[in-house]
Amino acid sequence: MSRHASSNRRIVLAARPQGAPVPQDFRLEEQAMPAPAEGQVLLRTLYLSLDPYMRGRMNEGSTYAEPLALGEVMVGGTVSRVAASRHPDFREGELVLGASGWQEYSLSDGEGLMVLGELAQPSHALGVMGMPGFTAWHGLLNIGQPKPGETVMVGAASGAVGAVVGQIARLKGARVVGIAGGADKCRYVVEELGFDACIDRYDPQFAAKLAIACPDGIDVYFESVGGAVFDAVLPLLNENARVPVCGFISHYNDKAAASGPDRLPALMAALLYKRIRVQGFIILDHYAEGYAQFLREMGGWVAEGKVKLREDVVDGLEAAPAGLIGLLEGKNFGKAVVRVAQ
Amino acid sequence: MSRHASSNRRIVLAARPQGAPVPQDFRLEEQAMPAPAEGQVLLRTLYLSLDPYMRGRMNEGSTYAEPLALGEVMVGGTVSRVAASRHPDFREGELVLGASGWQEYSLSDGEGLMVLGELAQPSHALGVMGMPGFTAWHGLLNIGQPKPGETVMVGAASGAVGAVVGQIARLKGARVVGIAGGADKCRYVVEELGFDACIDRYDPQFAAKLAIACPDGIDVYFESVGGAVFDAVLPLLNENARVPVCGFISHYNDKAAASGPDRLPALMAALLYKRIRVQGFIILDHYAEGYAQFLREMGGWVAEGKVKLREDVVDGLEAAPAGLIGLLEGKNFGKAVVRVAQ
């Protein structure tokens, strides 16, 4: 255990956001350093993952998981080092993947913890080799099912999930077009990630340019955005297109139902006339069936340099609220991670 | 060939409907009796099928098929008798299934014609043993995939497709709840078709009663309605629900995008959080792969009295426009068919 630490800092949900979260919705607290009981480990957080799903947990209504109570520690995936162990399966000093949330230290009875071994970049376990990478791999391959020569569209191409979706789709022989916010991100998506094209969603000619970039239409649309991006993609979908849905970030801060026009009838018409399959999925459902295979396959691609993922690292637990607020505004550039400790 | 006929009456598209079709959108014409060339057959229409998809063909914009041109004969599935044959594969007097459209006589080169053999009820080839039955069978079994004990919801339970969907779902061990317009239809759906329950969509307590009828939620929703019916079903869908979409009749007469609220974000949220699969299909795509199997399976069920379908028969070609207009208003009670000749 770190010699100097005598207390644990953590960030709790202070208030439920009205629309976009603001700093006052979070509260930094300090508590006495927790002490592990028999069968427990004390974990020191090294990296905390910031992900769009966190916004949903701040609301009162439940989504697919119970909402956070006010005053509860914000949830989140973490890479930690075992600071002290009274559990037979974990040794002090080991790296583990878990979900300690937004705090510097936490106790665990070992459930859901995965020993990582030593990693050159431990934060990868929260990104390309973790939940976002697994989301990309499962959603694209098991739901999207791209065939060689087909066109795959990625709604958020420079983000943690979308960047991986596009690179896997390329490895599978698809033509890949991305959408990202701003020229810098688009350049990165094409030049660094190897997408065939990337269209700036802030471009005034966005929809027209998207159509030009997809002369053969779209066979798979990996959806995590919603809103205007979805509206531009829908008319380009081909017959028998597949649309895996892992999120719709543009609506997460909505306060109430949008005023209209009602876009549902047009969607249903497109689904019918074009024989489209739209399928939502929550990656937590698929760990038992697919995570081991994902780790093998993705591990190989990452080692060979075939799949990479830029990280957007902010330092210090106290930077997490601004990091999440920025993520929901599309300000991050790559996988958003908080370095909580070295 | 009928001794008396010297001319052919047919109904053409006179004007594109603005919203709901009106009688003036159709025109009855008389033309000289067509004469078959070598390789052709002359068909006398006995029964003409009326189906919701016909509304879409009357619009200017294409759906999944080319729109009808003004002045063209209205499309439609037909059971006909071969009145004269100059084609080696068809004999005078045989019954055939085809798509002659809204006319008393037509010529065919045999493409797409299926010899039916003698049938006690030739109109069944347009209903339970035809396109609507096949739509029900394929959509439910290949997309909906109900498991024993699951709850299947049928959006238009007394209609040609929905009635068959529910009966097949019962045969597969599902609990089946229907929605229909009015107490008479609901009684028929439960008492004659054997659904477990049926809720009247005109009931002021419709949504609440639907929820009560589905204490375990809904696992498969067979969608052909849209609108308020869809809105009532959506909150009841279970995790991993499947939604085959074969139509959305409540919107077919829409003139423009509905004013709002925008129901799309709520749909996407439900798709994601509940891991729902929504899939549109056009049954024309599936004849090659599945029609023969459907005919065998459905033929057995119909012969054993396990699947039945009430017909709503109107007499005379000139009754077809009012029949289609009524169908789009939900006035038909069972499979809508026009008896064009005996």
Side-chain angles (χ1 to χ4, degrees), chain A residues 103-169:
Chain A
Q103 52 187 341
E104 292 175 327
Y105 290 90
S106 64
L107 295 178
S108 167
D109 61 6
E111 196 180 315
L113 282 192
M114 193 173 98
V115 174
L116 289 172
E118 279 309 303
L119 298 172
Q121 287 194 264
S123 57
H124 273 190
L126 300 173
V128 65
M129 295 297 294
M131 189 269 284
F134 186 37
T135 299
W137 180 88
H138 170 79
L140 180 70
L141 299 181
N142 292 334
I143 300 177
Q145 301 173 345
K147 297 182 209 33
E150 286 192 330
T151 297
V152 172
M153 173 66 67
V154 183
S158 72
V161 174
V164 178
V165 168
Q167 293 174 89
I168 299 175

Side-chain angles (χ1 to χ4, degrees), chain A residues 258 262-263 275-276 278 280 285, chain B residues 258 262-263 275-276 278 280 285:
Chain A
D262 182 11
R263 293 142 74 216
R275 303 88 156 154
I276 293 167
V278 180
D285 299 346
Chain B
D262 182 11
R263 294 141 74 216
R275 303 86 156 153
I276 293 167
V278 180
D285 298 347

